[in-house]
Amino acid sequence: MLTFRELSRNEVESVWNIDRREVIDHVYYFENGALVLKPEHYDMQGWNPHEAEHYTPILLDCFDRGGWFCGAFEDEKLVGVAVLDNKFIGRDKDQLQLKFLHVSRDYRGQGLGKKLFQMAAEKARELEAKQMYISATPSENTVNFYLRLGADVTKEPDPELFAFEPEDIHFECEI
Ligand SMILES: CC(C)(COP(=O)(O)OP(=O)(O)OC[C@H]1O[C@@H](n2cnc3c(N)ncnc32)[C@H](O)[C@@H]1OP(=O)(O)O)[C@@H](O)C(=O)NCCC(=O)NCCS
């Protein structure tokens, strides 16, 4: 049975224990105002080796300013994580970024990603945000997941987040 609880600071690095393996056959591009799906093959055997080194300090900064880190555990094993930043962004400063959402390979397709997404949305509502902002990996599965959950490609990408991940698909989602 899965249990959900907030992570402590010294558990933040355990997000890299999530099984990131994934075979990707198609990737989305946002071109001339539309999502275009193109064949591109990646057989991801795990996290990019630089990802932990690069992204851990960013996650710890988020934790230290009060970001919300929620883990899904099977017994003691972390199998899914959602992170909601608490720094308001957007023209009206009413968006909070869903900073991280990953489900281990063998736990995908069973509703866990949706559950974590909904828990993050509930937290964002508590903090009085109007929308969640998502800079999403452009792989077909990830983008289709966010579209299914009602996210829309944003017309006003956050300049800093867009500069950081220009190939991502930048979504906003009413909550
Ligand atoms: C993207 C990810 C978080 C989705 O989590 P998940 O647990 O596999 O998704 P769920 O089972 O909760 O699916 C939720 C809904 O999305 C739909 N969905 C999921 N994947 C889909 C896909 N590839 N195409 C269409 N719909 C999809 C499901 O059918 C479900 O809809 P329903 O509730 O109406 O039945 C997960 O697959 C993952 O971690 N992928 C790799 C890492 C990643 O890309 N993370 C996001 C970085 S921004």
PDB file of all heavy atoms in Angstrom, residues 20 22 101-104 107-115 134-137 139-142 144-146 148-149, ligand 1:
ATOM      1  N   ARG A  20      13.994   6.449 -13.036  1.00  0.00           N
ATOM      2  CA  ARG A  20      13.692   7.375 -14.143  1.00  0.00           C
ATOM      3  C   ARG A  20      13.699   6.687 -15.511  1.00  0.00           C
ATOM      4  O   ARG A  20      13.527   7.325 -16.545  1.00  0.00           O
ATOM      5  CB  ARG A  20      14.718   8.528 -14.108  1.00  0.00           C
ATOM      6  CG  ARG A  20      14.576   9.605 -15.173  1.00  0.00           C
ATOM      7  CD  ARG A  20      13.299  10.390 -14.977  1.00  0.00           C
ATOM      8  NE  ARG A  20      13.030  11.324 -16.064  1.00  0.00           N
ATOM      9  CZ  ARG A  20      12.355  11.017 -17.177  1.00  0.00           C
ATOM     10  NH1 ARG A  20      11.921   9.796 -17.389  1.00  0.00           N
ATOM     11  NH2 ARG A  20      12.118  11.941 -18.086  1.00  0.00           N
ATOM     12  N   GLU A  22      12.929   5.203 -18.925  1.00  0.00           N
ATOM     13  CA  GLU A  22      11.792   5.462 -19.820  1.00  0.00           C
ATOM     14  C   GLU A  22      12.256   5.368 -21.272  1.00  0.00           C
ATOM     15  O   GLU A  22      13.344   5.854 -21.603  1.00  0.00           O
ATOM     16  CB  GLU A  22      11.242   6.886 -19.573  1.00  0.00           C
ATOM     17  CG  GLU A  22       9.993   7.212 -20.355  1.00  0.00           C
ATOM     18  CD  GLU A  22       9.462   8.629 -20.092  1.00  0.00           C
ATOM     19  OE1 GLU A  22      10.166   9.436 -19.463  1.00  0.00           O
ATOM     20  OE2 GLU A  22       8.336   8.897 -20.545  1.00  0.00           O
ATOM     21  N   LEU A 101       7.855  16.515 -10.617  1.00  0.00           N
ATOM     22  CA  LEU A 101       6.834  15.468 -10.483  1.00  0.00           C
ATOM     23  C   LEU A 101       7.358  14.230 -11.201  1.00  0.00           C
ATOM     24  O   LEU A 101       7.509  14.245 -12.433  1.00  0.00           O
ATOM     25  CB  LEU A 101       5.503  15.902 -11.099  1.00  0.00           C
ATOM     26  CG  LEU A 101       4.404  14.823 -11.072  1.00  0.00           C
ATOM     27  CD1 LEU A 101       3.983  14.479  -9.646  1.00  0.00           C
ATOM     28  CD2 LEU A 101       3.181  15.266 -11.858  1.00  0.00           C
ATOM     29  N   HIS A 102       7.685  13.222 -10.438  1.00  0.00           N
ATOM     30  CA  HIS A 102       8.205  11.998 -11.041  1.00  0.00           C
ATOM     31  C   HIS A 102       7.648  10.786 -10.326  1.00  0.00           C
ATOM     32  O   HIS A 102       7.508  10.786  -9.099  1.00  0.00           O
ATOM     33  CB  HIS A 102       9.741  11.974 -10.976  1.00  0.00           C
ATOM     34  CG  HIS A 102      10.387  12.862 -11.975  1.00  0.00           C
ATOM     35  ND1 HIS A 102      10.563  12.501 -13.287  1.00  0.00           N
ATOM     36  CD2 HIS A 102      10.874  14.127 -11.868  1.00  0.00           C
ATOM     37  CE1 HIS A 102      11.147  13.488 -13.938  1.00  0.00           C
ATOM     38  NE2 HIS A 102      11.340  14.492 -13.103  1.00  0.00           N
ATOM     39  N   VAL A 103       7.379   9.773 -11.141  1.00  0.00           N
ATOM     40  CA  VAL A 103       6.879   8.498 -10.622  1.00  0.00           C
ATOM     41  C   VAL A 103       7.840   7.418 -11.126  1.00  0.00           C
ATOM     42  O   VAL A 103       8.218   7.427 -12.314  1.00  0.00           O
ATOM     43  CB  VAL A 103       5.438   8.257 -11.138  1.00  0.00           C
ATOM     44  CG1 VAL A 103       4.962   6.843 -10.830  1.00  0.00           C
ATOM     45  CG2 VAL A 103       4.475   9.292 -10.537  1.00  0.00           C
ATOM     46  N   SER A 104       8.236   6.503 -10.254  1.00  0.00           N
ATOM     47  CA  SER A 104       9.142   5.422 -10.662  1.00  0.00           C
ATOM     48  C   SER A 104       8.501   4.573 -11.749  1.00  0.00           C
ATOM     49  O   SER A 104       7.282   4.344 -11.751  1.00  0.00           O
ATOM     50  CB  SER A 104       9.473   4.519  -9.466  1.00  0.00           C
ATOM     51  OG  SER A 104      10.508   5.084  -8.719  1.00  0.00           O
ATOM     52  N   TYR A 107       5.619   2.115 -11.355  1.00  0.00           N
ATOM     53  CA  TYR A 107       4.429   2.637 -10.673  1.00  0.00           C
ATOM     54  C   TYR A 107       3.639   3.590 -11.569  1.00  0.00           C
ATOM     55  O   TYR A 107       2.642   4.169 -11.141  1.00  0.00           O
ATOM     56  CB  TYR A 107       4.846   3.334  -9.365  1.00  0.00           C
ATOM     57  CG  TYR A 107       5.410   2.347  -8.374  1.00  0.00           C
ATOM     58  CD1 TYR A 107       6.729   1.916  -8.467  1.00  0.00           C
ATOM     59  CD2 TYR A 107       4.615   1.805  -7.365  1.00  0.00           C
ATOM     60  CE1 TYR A 107       7.248   0.988  -7.579  1.00  0.00           C
ATOM     61  CE2 TYR A 107       5.120   0.878  -6.471  1.00  0.00           C
ATOM     62  CZ  TYR A 107       6.433   0.467  -6.591  1.00  0.00           C
ATOM     63  OH  TYR A 107       6.935  -0.451  -5.710  1.00  0.00           O
ATOM     64  N   ARG A 108       4.115   3.785 -12.825  1.00  0.00           N
ATOM     65  CA  ARG A 108       3.408   4.708 -13.730  1.00  0.00           C
ATOM     66  C   ARG A 108       2.133   4.053 -14.278  1.00  0.00           C
ATOM     67  O   ARG A 108       2.005   2.834 -14.290  1.00  0.00           O
ATOM     68  CB  ARG A 108       4.329   5.098 -14.907  1.00  0.00           C
ATOM     69  CG  ARG A 108       5.514   5.914 -14.437  1.00  0.00           C
ATOM     70  CD  ARG A 108       6.436   6.330 -15.585  1.00  0.00           C
ATOM     71  NE  ARG A 108       7.730   6.721 -15.004  1.00  0.00           N
ATOM     72  CZ  ARG A 108       8.920   6.489 -15.555  1.00  0.00           C
ATOM     73  NH1 ARG A 108       8.993   5.916 -16.746  1.00  0.00           N
ATOM     74  NH2 ARG A 108      10.027   6.853 -14.933  1.00  0.00           N
ATOM     75  N   GLY A 109       1.241   4.905 -14.708  1.00  0.00           N
ATOM     76  CA  GLY A 109       0.021   4.410 -15.369  1.00  0.00           C
ATOM     77  C   GLY A 109      -0.989   3.807 -14.410  1.00  0.00           C
ATOM     78  O   GLY A 109      -1.877   3.073 -14.818  1.00  0.00           O
ATOM     79  N   GLN A 110      -0.864   4.121 -13.113  1.00  0.00           N
ATOM     80  CA  GLN A 110      -1.786   3.559 -12.112  1.00  0.00           C
ATOM     81  C   GLN A 110      -2.452   4.661 -11.288  1.00  0.00           C
ATOM     82  O   GLN A 110      -2.989   4.388 -10.212  1.00  0.00           O
ATOM     83  CB  GLN A 110      -1.011   2.625 -11.164  1.00  0.00           C
ATOM     84  CG  GLN A 110      -0.339   1.460 -11.881  1.00  0.00           C
ATOM     85  CD  GLN A 110       0.721   0.776 -11.009  1.00  0.00           C
ATOM     86  OE1 GLN A 110       0.522   0.579  -9.814  1.00  0.00           O
ATOM     87  NE2 GLN A 110       1.844   0.429 -11.597  1.00  0.00           N
ATOM     88  N   GLY A 111      -2.343   5.903 -11.760  1.00  0.00           N
ATOM     89  CA  GLY A 111      -3.026   6.994 -11.061  1.00  0.00           C
ATOM     90  C   GLY A 111      -2.172   7.731 -10.048  1.00  0.00           C
ATOM     91  O   GLY A 111      -2.640   8.695  -9.432  1.00  0.00           O
ATOM     92  N   LEU A 112      -0.910   7.317  -9.872  1.00  0.00           N
ATOM     93  CA  LEU A 112      -0.087   7.959  -8.839  1.00  0.00           C
ATOM     94  C   LEU A 112       0.324   9.383  -9.239  1.00  0.00           C
ATOM     95  O   LEU A 112       0.286  10.309  -8.414  1.00  0.00           O
ATOM     96  CB  LEU A 112       1.144   7.090  -8.543  1.00  0.00           C
ATOM     97  CG  LEU A 112       2.126   7.642  -7.518  1.00  0.00           C
ATOM     98  CD1 LEU A 112       1.430   8.003  -6.205  1.00  0.00           C
ATOM     99  CD2 LEU A 112       3.256   6.637  -7.261  1.00  0.00           C
ATOM    100  N   GLY A 113       0.689   9.566 -10.516  1.00  0.00           N
ATOM    101  CA  GLY A 113       1.063  10.903 -10.962  1.00  0.00           C
ATOM    102  C   GLY A 113      -0.100  11.879 -10.789  1.00  0.00           C
ATOM    103  O   GLY A 113       0.074  13.004 -10.323  1.00  0.00           O
ATOM    104  N   LYS A 114      -1.301  11.419 -11.138  1.00  0.00           N
ATOM    105  CA  LYS A 114      -2.496  12.261 -10.993  1.00  0.00           C
ATOM    106  C   LYS A 114      -2.740  12.620  -9.530  1.00  0.00           C
ATOM    107  O   LYS A 114      -3.059  13.756  -9.194  1.00  0.00           O
ATOM    108  CB  LYS A 114      -3.690  11.513 -11.566  1.00  0.00           C
ATOM    109  CG  LYS A 114      -4.988  12.265 -11.538  1.00  0.00           C
ATOM    110  CD  LYS A 114      -6.049  11.419 -12.230  1.00  0.00           C
ATOM    111  CE  LYS A 114      -7.402  12.067 -12.223  1.00  0.00           C
ATOM    112  NZ  LYS A 114      -8.377  11.250 -12.967  1.00  0.00           N
ATOM    113  N   LYS A 115      -2.591  11.620  -8.647  1.00  0.00           N
ATOM    114  CA  LYS A 115      -2.810  11.843  -7.210  1.00  0.00           C
ATOM    115  C   LYS A 115      -1.823  12.901  -6.688  1.00  0.00           C
ATOM    116  O   LYS A 115      -2.213  13.834  -5.973  1.00  0.00           O
ATOM    117  CB  LYS A 115      -2.620  10.498  -6.484  1.00  0.00           C
ATOM    118  CG  LYS A 115      -2.502  10.553  -5.004  1.00  0.00           C
ATOM    119  CD  LYS A 115      -3.840  10.466  -4.352  1.00  0.00           C
ATOM    120  CE  LYS A 115      -3.676  10.461  -2.827  1.00  0.00           C
ATOM    121  NZ  LYS A 115      -4.836  10.985  -2.144  1.00  0.00           N
ATOM    122  N   ILE A 134       3.944  24.833 -14.987  1.00  0.00           N
ATOM    123  CA  ILE A 134       4.712  23.594 -15.156  1.00  0.00           C
ATOM    124  C   ILE A 134       5.632  23.718 -16.354  1.00  0.00           C
ATOM    125  O   ILE A 134       5.170  23.977 -17.469  1.00  0.00           O
ATOM    126  CB  ILE A 134       3.764  22.383 -15.370  1.00  0.00           C
ATOM    127  CG1 ILE A 134       2.762  22.293 -14.222  1.00  0.00           C
ATOM    128  CG2 ILE A 134       4.576  21.085 -15.478  1.00  0.00           C
ATOM    129  CD1 ILE A 134       1.375  21.865 -14.657  1.00  0.00           C
ATOM    130  N   SER A 135       6.910  23.534 -16.113  1.00  0.00           N
ATOM    131  CA  SER A 135       7.895  23.454 -17.206  1.00  0.00           C
ATOM    132  C   SER A 135       8.135  21.969 -17.417  1.00  0.00           C
ATOM    133  O   SER A 135       8.835  21.321 -16.645  1.00  0.00           O
ATOM    134  CB  SER A 135       9.166  24.196 -16.765  1.00  0.00           C
ATOM    135  OG  SER A 135      10.217  23.989 -17.666  1.00  0.00           O
ATOM    136  N   ALA A 136       7.493  21.412 -18.459  1.00  0.00           N
ATOM    137  CA  ALA A 136       7.407  19.957 -18.568  1.00  0.00           C
ATOM    138  C   ALA A 136       8.394  19.403 -19.590  1.00  0.00           C
ATOM    139  O   ALA A 136       8.555  19.970 -20.686  1.00  0.00           O
ATOM    140  CB  ALA A 136       5.991  19.544 -18.972  1.00  0.00           C
ATOM    141  N   THR A 137       9.003  18.283 -19.218  1.00  0.00           N
ATOM    142  CA  THR A 137       9.776  17.495 -20.181  1.00  0.00           C
ATOM    143  C   THR A 137       8.926  17.316 -21.445  1.00  0.00           C
ATOM    144  O   THR A 137       7.744  16.972 -21.332  1.00  0.00           O
ATOM    145  CB  THR A 137      10.032  16.095 -19.563  1.00  0.00           C
ATOM    146  OG1 THR A 137      10.597  16.289 -18.281  1.00  0.00           O
ATOM    147  CG2 THR A 137      10.945  15.252 -20.416  1.00  0.00           C
ATOM    148  N   SER A 139       8.584  15.087 -23.648  1.00  0.00           N
ATOM    149  CA  SER A 139       8.278  13.752 -24.181  1.00  0.00           C
ATOM    150  C   SER A 139       6.764  13.566 -24.307  1.00  0.00           C
ATOM    151  O   SER A 139       5.966  14.177 -23.582  1.00  0.00           O
ATOM    152  CB  SER A 139       8.866  12.673 -23.273  1.00  0.00           C
ATOM    153  OG  SER A 139       8.219  12.698 -22.038  1.00  0.00           O
ATOM    154  N   GLU A 140       6.392  12.729 -25.274  1.00  0.00           N
ATOM    155  CA  GLU A 140       4.971  12.524 -25.600  1.00  0.00           C
ATOM    156  C   GLU A 140       4.150  12.183 -24.352  1.00  0.00           C
ATOM    157  O   GLU A 140       3.094  12.771 -24.091  1.00  0.00           O
ATOM    158  CB  GLU A 140       4.868  11.391 -26.628  1.00  0.00           C
ATOM    159  CG  GLU A 140       3.443  11.076 -27.029  1.00  0.00           C
ATOM    160  CD  GLU A 140       3.375   9.934 -28.041  1.00  0.00           C
ATOM    161  OE1 GLU A 140       4.338   9.141 -28.118  1.00  0.00           O
ATOM    162  OE2 GLU A 140       2.365   9.845 -28.744  1.00  0.00           O
ATOM    163  N   ASN A 141       4.626  11.208 -23.563  1.00  0.00           N
ATOM    164  CA  ASN A 141       3.849  10.759 -22.401  1.00  0.00           C
ATOM    165  C   ASN A 141       3.635  11.864 -21.391  1.00  0.00           C
ATOM    166  O   ASN A 141       2.539  12.026 -20.845  1.00  0.00           O
ATOM    167  CB  ASN A 141       4.567   9.596 -21.704  1.00  0.00           C
ATOM    168  CG  ASN A 141       4.386   8.312 -22.470  1.00  0.00           C
ATOM    169  OD1 ASN A 141       3.429   8.169 -23.230  1.00  0.00           O
ATOM    170  ND2 ASN A 141       5.315   7.389 -22.287  1.00  0.00           N
ATOM    171  N   THR A 142       4.696  12.614 -21.136  1.00  0.00           N
ATOM    172  CA  THR A 142       4.601  13.660 -20.111  1.00  0.00           C
ATOM    173  C   THR A 142       3.628  14.746 -20.541  1.00  0.00           C
ATOM    174  O   THR A 142       2.751  15.165 -19.771  1.00  0.00           O
ATOM    175  CB  THR A 142       6.003  14.242 -19.855  1.00  0.00           C
ATOM    176  OG1 THR A 142       6.870  13.171 -19.532  1.00  0.00           O
ATOM    177  CG2 THR A 142       5.981  15.248 -18.738  1.00  0.00           C
ATOM    178  N   ASN A 144       1.221  14.553 -22.799  1.00  0.00           N
ATOM    179  CA  ASN A 144      -0.157  14.042 -22.851  1.00  0.00           C
ATOM    180  C   ASN A 144      -0.762  13.927 -21.452  1.00  0.00           C
ATOM    181  O   ASN A 144      -1.957  14.154 -21.264  1.00  0.00           O
ATOM    182  CB  ASN A 144      -0.194  12.691 -23.559  1.00  0.00           C
ATOM    183  CG  ASN A 144      -0.022  12.852 -25.060  1.00  0.00           C
ATOM    184  OD1 ASN A 144      -0.035  13.966 -25.572  1.00  0.00           O
ATOM    185  ND2 ASN A 144       0.160  11.759 -25.758  1.00  0.00           N
ATOM    186  N   PHE A 145       0.067  13.578 -20.483  1.00  0.00           N
ATOM    187  CA  PHE A 145      -0.396  13.507 -19.087  1.00  0.00           C
ATOM    188  C   PHE A 145      -0.892  14.883 -18.623  1.00  0.00           C
ATOM    189  O   PHE A 145      -2.001  15.013 -18.103  1.00  0.00           O
ATOM    190  CB  PHE A 145       0.768  13.002 -18.212  1.00  0.00           C
ATOM    191  CG  PHE A 145       0.606  13.195 -16.735  1.00  0.00           C
ATOM    192  CD1 PHE A 145      -0.156  12.309 -15.982  1.00  0.00           C
ATOM    193  CD2 PHE A 145       1.240  14.242 -16.079  1.00  0.00           C
ATOM    194  CE1 PHE A 145      -0.298  12.473 -14.604  1.00  0.00           C
ATOM    195  CE2 PHE A 145       1.113  14.405 -14.703  1.00  0.00           C
ATOM    196  CZ  PHE A 145       0.336  13.523 -13.972  1.00  0.00           C
ATOM    197  N   TYR A 146      -0.091  15.932 -18.848  1.00  0.00           N
ATOM    198  CA  TYR A 146      -0.514  17.262 -18.382  1.00  0.00           C
ATOM    199  C   TYR A 146      -1.734  17.764 -19.161  1.00  0.00           C
ATOM    200  O   TYR A 146      -2.617  18.413 -18.583  1.00  0.00           O
ATOM    201  CB  TYR A 146       0.642  18.264 -18.476  1.00  0.00           C
ATOM    202  CG  TYR A 146       1.689  18.033 -17.395  1.00  0.00           C
ATOM    203  CD1 TYR A 146       2.997  17.724 -17.706  1.00  0.00           C
ATOM    204  CD2 TYR A 146       1.344  18.105 -16.045  1.00  0.00           C
ATOM    205  CE1 TYR A 146       3.951  17.491 -16.718  1.00  0.00           C
ATOM    206  CE2 TYR A 146       2.281  17.874 -15.052  1.00  0.00           C
ATOM    207  CZ  TYR A 146       3.579  17.567 -15.393  1.00  0.00           C
ATOM    208  OH  TYR A 146       4.493  17.333 -14.403  1.00  0.00           O
ATOM    209  N   ARG A 148      -4.068  15.910 -20.369  1.00  0.00           N
ATOM    210  CA  ARG A 148      -5.182  15.130 -19.811  1.00  0.00           C
ATOM    211  C   ARG A 148      -5.672  15.721 -18.492  1.00  0.00           C
ATOM    212  O   ARG A 148      -6.865  15.669 -18.171  1.00  0.00           O
ATOM    213  CB  ARG A 148      -4.704  13.683 -19.607  1.00  0.00           C
ATOM    214  CG  ARG A 148      -5.704  12.768 -19.013  1.00  0.00           C
ATOM    215  CD  ARG A 148      -6.626  12.210 -20.088  1.00  0.00           C
ATOM    216  NE  ARG A 148      -7.662  11.406 -19.473  1.00  0.00           N
ATOM    217  CZ  ARG A 148      -8.918  11.429 -19.840  1.00  0.00           C
ATOM    218  NH1 ARG A 148      -9.322  12.204 -20.821  1.00  0.00           N
ATOM    219  NH2 ARG A 148      -9.797  10.661 -19.240  1.00  0.00           N
ATOM    220  N   LEU A 149      -4.725  16.276 -17.716  1.00  0.00           N
ATOM    221  CA  LEU A 149      -5.109  16.852 -16.422  1.00  0.00           C
ATOM    222  C   LEU A 149      -5.577  18.307 -16.553  1.00  0.00           C
ATOM    223  O   LEU A 149      -5.784  18.988 -15.551  1.00  0.00           O
ATOM    224  CB  LEU A 149      -3.939  16.745 -15.429  1.00  0.00           C
ATOM    225  CG  LEU A 149      -3.584  15.305 -15.036  1.00  0.00           C
ATOM    226  CD1 LEU A 149      -2.536  15.284 -13.936  1.00  0.00           C
ATOM    227  CD2 LEU A 149      -4.808  14.532 -14.556  1.00  0.00           C
TER     228      LEU A 149
HETATM  229  C1  LIG B   1       4.372  11.870 -16.270  1.00  0.00           C
HETATM  230  C2  LIG B   1       4.098  11.042 -15.012  1.00  0.00           C
HETATM  231  C3  LIG B   1       4.373  11.891 -13.771  1.00  0.00           C
HETATM  232  C4  LIG B   1       2.633  10.596 -15.028  1.00  0.00           C
HETATM  233  O1  LIG B   1       2.367   9.817 -13.881  1.00  0.00           O
HETATM  234  P1  LIG B   1       1.538   8.453 -13.968  1.00  0.00           P
HETATM  235  O2  LIG B   1       1.401   7.942 -12.592  1.00  0.00           O
HETATM  236  O3  LIG B   1       2.183   7.566 -14.979  1.00  0.00           O
HETATM  237  O4  LIG B   1       0.136   8.961 -14.565  1.00  0.00           O
HETATM  238  P2  LIG B   1      -1.345   8.528 -14.060  1.00  0.00           P
HETATM  239  O5  LIG B   1      -1.428   7.042 -14.084  1.00  0.00           O
HETATM  240  O6  LIG B   1      -1.637   9.207 -12.782  1.00  0.00           O
HETATM  241  O7  LIG B   1      -2.258   9.143 -15.198  1.00  0.00           O
HETATM  242  C5  LIG B   1      -3.153  10.219 -14.923  1.00  0.00           C
HETATM  243  C6  LIG B   1      -4.027  10.505 -16.096  1.00  0.00           C
HETATM  244  O8  LIG B   1      -3.216  10.868 -17.217  1.00  0.00           O
HETATM  245  C7  LIG B   1      -3.480   9.964 -18.279  1.00  0.00           C
HETATM  246  N1  LIG B   1      -2.203   9.685 -18.923  1.00  0.00           N
HETATM  247  C8  LIG B   1      -1.045   9.267 -18.341  1.00  0.00           C
HETATM  248  N2  LIG B   1      -0.114   9.084 -19.289  1.00  0.00           N
HETATM  249  C9  LIG B   1      -0.717   9.374 -20.460  1.00  0.00           C
HETATM  250  C10 LIG B   1      -0.294   9.362 -21.816  1.00  0.00           C
HETATM  251  N3  LIG B   1       0.939   9.003 -22.150  1.00  0.00           N
HETATM  252  N4  LIG B   1      -1.176   9.709 -22.779  1.00  0.00           N
HETATM  253  C11 LIG B   1      -2.442  10.063 -22.469  1.00  0.00           C
HETATM  254  N5  LIG B   1      -2.908  10.094 -21.197  1.00  0.00           N
HETATM  255  C12 LIG B   1      -2.050   9.762 -20.238  1.00  0.00           C
HETATM  256  C13 LIG B   1      -4.035   8.709 -17.644  1.00  0.00           C
HETATM  257  O9  LIG B   1      -4.825   7.974 -18.521  1.00  0.00           O
HETATM  258  C14 LIG B   1      -4.826   9.279 -16.511  1.00  0.00           C
HETATM  259  O10 LIG B   1      -6.063   9.759 -16.984  1.00  0.00           O
HETATM  260  P3  LIG B   1      -7.452   9.274 -16.295  1.00  0.00           P
HETATM  261  O11 LIG B   1      -7.328   9.644 -14.843  1.00  0.00           O
HETATM  262  O12 LIG B   1      -8.486  10.027 -17.015  1.00  0.00           O
HETATM  263  O13 LIG B   1      -7.479   7.790 -16.512  1.00  0.00           O
HETATM  264  C15 LIG B   1       4.973   9.748 -14.982  1.00  0.00           C
HETATM  265  O14 LIG B   1       4.645   8.943 -16.086  1.00  0.00           O
HETATM  266  C16 LIG B   1       6.457  10.010 -14.967  1.00  0.00           C
HETATM  267  O15 LIG B   1       7.044  10.180 -13.897  1.00  0.00           O
HETATM  268  N6  LIG B   1       7.076  10.013 -16.144  1.00  0.00           N
HETATM  269  C17 LIG B   1       8.506  10.163 -16.276  1.00  0.00           C
HETATM  270  C18 LIG B   1       9.035  11.412 -15.670  1.00  0.00           C
HETATM  271  C19 LIG B   1       8.374  12.693 -16.123  1.00  0.00           C
HETATM  272  O16 LIG B   1       8.232  12.903 -17.307  1.00  0.00           O
HETATM  273  N7  LIG B   1       7.977  13.530 -15.171  1.00  0.00           N
HETATM  274  C20 LIG B   1       7.394  14.815 -15.442  1.00  0.00           C
HETATM  275  C21 LIG B   1       8.476  15.839 -15.575  1.00  0.00           C
HETATM  276  S1  LIG B   1       7.796  17.424 -15.946  1.00  0.00           S
END
